[in-house]
Amino acid sequence: MPGVIAAGVLDELVAICGEDHVFTGRSALFNRARVPAPFPVHRWEEHIPQAVVMPTSAEQVSEVVKLANRDGIPVVPRAGGTGLADGAVPLRGGILVDVKLMDQIHEIDLEDLTVTVGAGINMQTLNRALAPHGVIYPDDPASYPCSLVGGRIGTNGWSLLGGRYGHVRDLVLSFEIVLPTGEIVRVGEGGGRKCRKSSVGYQLKPLFIGHQGTLGIVTEATLELVPRAECEFAGFFLYDGFEPAYQTMRKVARSGLSTLTGVMFFDPEKVAYLRRDDEAYIEVPDWVKAVCGISLYGSRCEVEPAVGEVMRMGRELGGRYIGDEISSADWACRHDRYATPQHGRTRDGQVVLMSWHCEDAALPISQMPAVREKWHQIARRYVERYGIFDDWGMFAYTNAGFKPWGDVLMEIDLGLWEPRMDEDNWQAFVSLKREIAQTVLEHGGTMSAAHGGTRAGDAELVPTEMGSAWDLMKRVKRMLDPNNIMNPGKQMLDEAYEED
Amino acid sequence: MAETTTSGEATNGRSSTLPEEFLEQWRDVAYNCFSSGHKFCREVCPVTQVTRDERFTPTAFHANVIAMEKGHLSIEDVAEDYVNCTMCGACELRCPNTLFTGDFYRFRQRTIDVVKAMRAFAVEQGIHQKNWQRWAELTDRWGNEPVLGWTRETSGSKVRAWAAGLDIPTGGETVLFADCEAAFKRPSVPRSVALLLRACGVEFGLMDQQWCCGGPMWETGYVDIAHKMAEHNMIDWRKTHTKRIICPDPHDYITIIEHYPPLDENFDEFEIVLAVDLIAEAIREGRLELGTPVQRTVTYHDPCRLNKRLGVWQSPREILRAIPGLTFIDVDHVTQWSYCSGAGSNLWVEKPELTAEISRRRIAKAQELPGVDGLVSACPWSERPLTEQGEAVGMDVFDIFEITAEAAGFEV
Amino acid sequence: MLVFRLSAQRPPKPERVTDVVVTRLEHVLEVDPDLMRKHVAQQDIPNWDMHRIVSARWEHIRDIHEQWADSIVLAGEGSELGAGPPEPMGET
């Protein structure tokens, strides 16, 4: 367990942030150790920070970071703490920089359609403030009601509406970031805070989008605004096998419909999982083995004609329409379709509380069938051997921003009996994760489309996945963070500091 | 019958670990949150909106139970954290464990109950919040809460003073339960209700000695005092064979329906009714005429216990839409899941600055609406901090019964 | 109107829907309570609270729709599930 922070350092932190915004109490530390489960609760003490600061300005963040650099104290940036890859989980104590108080809306520019906000603001809260103006910030992950802009940048977040509006990296125009050595810099498209595309200077923005808090701390961002869509449509079709649903997904993904926002897919194991608890309003007959859902957003003059085409494509390979009511309701639930713990079942079908591991690989769409089979084989082995796992099926979704045709976010959802967590079970989980991630790499994919490779099970494989780019990645890390203080230990980046 | 994990012994010299009865009751609810940890509760929490502090989040309130079981935290570490909650119910409603699957499994999130249990445990261990302790002692001594301050007695014998001149009988089949805050601090509310009920043709009496419903006692951890209040009130009802209790204040209603039945095996004798529903029904059926225009532009504040905790949001809007001359700019009740006055569970007694900021933000939201200079609520407790914050910026705060009584031609 | 009567809060006996799902209240599906005997016990939820949850869910869904688009376009068709599985289409 990390030791108590030095009294002198604590005094300096108080001088920087004010005594009301520096915390060393046990509940402050223990309640910032974790992100969503699964979590090695038996090693909770290993993951607490030594101190927490809640700064209210980039200048305060800068001073804290400089102090940490001077004394070699780890810094862990934390926005929402809602990530699914442990990016905001401290590994070596240190000072946790919690950005939630920087949650103001600084400027709404309806002329040039941008909004400038503190990194600590949540997208739904932001959009409720924007609603009277008829515009939205269309970053829409499954954590939409709870994740924060800083974390979205840190994870290179993925949005349900990405096929139509782009993902976080397309929606963040520029931002202010405190580098690991304390400098406050603004990165964007060239020097234009509100410009969308520039060829001046290096493209530094993408470097920091998805850095998982290892290259600095974002304090403020200027974001894209879009007019709220005139209408939306969602249609869900049910199939009697994997193949027709999969082929429908491919067909729709390359249909060229301009209002196409996403195509999603549930495999037979996922349907079986849904059937056993029905989420209180979806009844699914036995012959249904797979589901394909299609969503459109845009102007009525475009969406209405496209609906006819979608209905035709959905049915062409034998799909049955689930009906208007369920289609529109189920689509709405996508925005927070988290797997609740009570979906867990023991092998004899009893309800148990399970945490949800969501493996979120991205793969070329052609690899979907093979990877799915291997994943379920792996899951089956662990389910049979350990008694704490449950296979909740596979889900796929068109992945790229603006380009639904090429790759898919492929997800396998696994339940883990969280109250049974101990070291053996945690290691089993890590091993399971690793096998799943390994399969992805063997098929030319990336281990994580959305969450990050910072959790055990994925992290060890980051060098493998990065391949020839790994060395470059290490050099960048070392250059920006010479003392390895910024979220150290994540993604195998300690290797950047090993002498050859 | 909950699954038992290895219970943590007191470690690191921590005292006051959670007893097994506590864990048996709350472990599953705690793990239902801990196994998820996705925090949909957070942005709707009025305390989190202001403090942004993870210690005071519903997530922490549940994680602490696990941490305490494992010996990482003790009640001394967390007691004060649990003060920071208005028990508005947004978190436990918004949580997918309730909203999406709570009915399917007959198992929902119960953050409010967890907070109540932890506050009670703290009190049992001798850890008191100074003002809450004093508040509880005075409630015990006087029978009603010290809503007029520490020195102005609010006894059961004075609780009917608001009804002076109205000739309301004592007891009877239907009784109006006027609530301490309303009766003593904002008497125009029960007066308005009484006049409106009469105008609808509802016959009712007042209790001989109405005591505090007990709600804030349960909420702040003084369970024995709560029981005493409840038992007294039920004896009072039975003295005149009361069958129906009308509650203008949703705090009383929810306290009575949640906490009284376990204390009384014959509770089914009683029927508990919300005054706001009765009045809305009377208007709908033409038994109450609102003939006096009220020329104001107002918006409505969904009180937490009415909207989030009880799902009652239509009746008050129906009433407001029936008031002639009134321009009513609505904000829908789901958006208002994240709204709060900050007064609930006596937060303002212990942390007045936090309640003040929550209320200030609520008033600011009303100010954003075009032309609105009046905020109507349906809960006297919310009206205290909202009125104070409203005064500072020229936003008048009404209780729904006050404004409806005006529309019915009454001067209150 | 939310008139509270204690005896009206107890749910009716469950009727089977599938091998793992039952129903008690109209339009409300529930897990077979036998599946919650060993590890996680069900709570005592009064009928008014069950209705509150179900209503709140639909209200929440409506709110979500309104956040993302001004209107919903529907296909204008009901469920085809009653028609059974599709005719075999040949080798897939």
Side-chain angles (χ1 to χ4, degrees), chain A residues 240-262:
Chain A
D240 61 356
F242 171 90
E243 194 65 20
Y246 169 61
Q247 293 304 338
T248 301
M249 183 182 194
R250 298 192 70 160
K251 190 183 289 282
V252 177
R254 57 178 64 185
S255 63
L257 291 174
S258 63
T259 55
L260 184 65
T261 301

Side-chain angles (χ1 to χ4, degrees), chain A residues 25 52 163 176 199 210 264 271 344 356 362 390 417 459:
Chain A
V52 172
E176 182 180 72
S199 288
M264 74 204 82
V271 173
W356 171 49
D390 196 7
W417 197 345

Side-chain angles (χ1 to χ4, degrees), chain A residues 37-50:
Chain A
F39 176 70
V41 68
H42 54 293
R43 291 199 262 116
W44 201 332
E45 285 178 316
E46 293 172 28
H47 293 297
I48 63 172
Q50 290 164 280

Side-chain angles (χ1 to χ4, degrees), chain A residues 228 232 300 315 320-321, chain C residues 65 70-71 73 77 80 84:
Chain A
R228 192 171 53 243
E232 65 172 29
R300 191 175 293 280
R315 288 171 166 141
R320 292 275 192 234
Y321 182 47
Chain C
H65 279 303
D70 292 340
S71 63
V73 169
E77 303 185 32
E80 289 181 321

Side-chain angles (χ1 to χ4, degrees), chain A residues 23 26-27 31-32 34 54 78 80-81 100 120 122 125 146 277 336 338 340-342 345 355 420, chain B residues 3 32 34-36 38-40 42-43 52-55 64 72 81 94 97 100 104-105 107:
Chain A
F23 308 98
R26 286 179 77 84
S27 76
N31 281 306
R32 288 183 178 81
R34 193 177 76 103
M54 294 186 75
R78 185 175 175 98
K100 294 191 207 35
N122 158 256
T125 298
C146 47
D277 71 17
D336 57 322
Y338 271 73
T340 53
Q342 306 229 35
R345 299 288 185 278
S355 53
R420 291 271 169 102
Chain B
E3 162 95 354
N32 207 29
F34 192 85
S35 305
S36 164
H38 290 124
K39 306 172 182 143
F40 289 97
R42 242 197 349 214
E43 291 289 317
R52 309 299 280 162
D53 193 327
E54 292 198 52
R55 288 175 297 168
N64 289 343
H72 297 305
D81 293 344
R94 181 60 186 86
N97 288 340
F100 284 96
F104 185 81
Y105 288 102
F107 190 113

Side-chain angles (χ1 to χ4, degrees), chain A residues 39-44 46-47 386 388-389 416 418-431 434 456, chain B residues 70:
Chain A
F39 176 70
V41 68
H42 54 293
R43 291 199 262 116
W44 201 332
E46 293 172 28
H47 293 297
Y386 288 96
I388 57 157
F389 295 111
L416 187 160
E418 192 77 12
R420 291 271 169 102
M421 182 60 73
D422 60 17
E423 188 60 20
D424 285 341
N425 287 334
W426 175 254
Q427 291 306 332
F429 166 62
V430 171
S431 166
R434 200 178 295 124
Chain B
K70 308 270 180 206

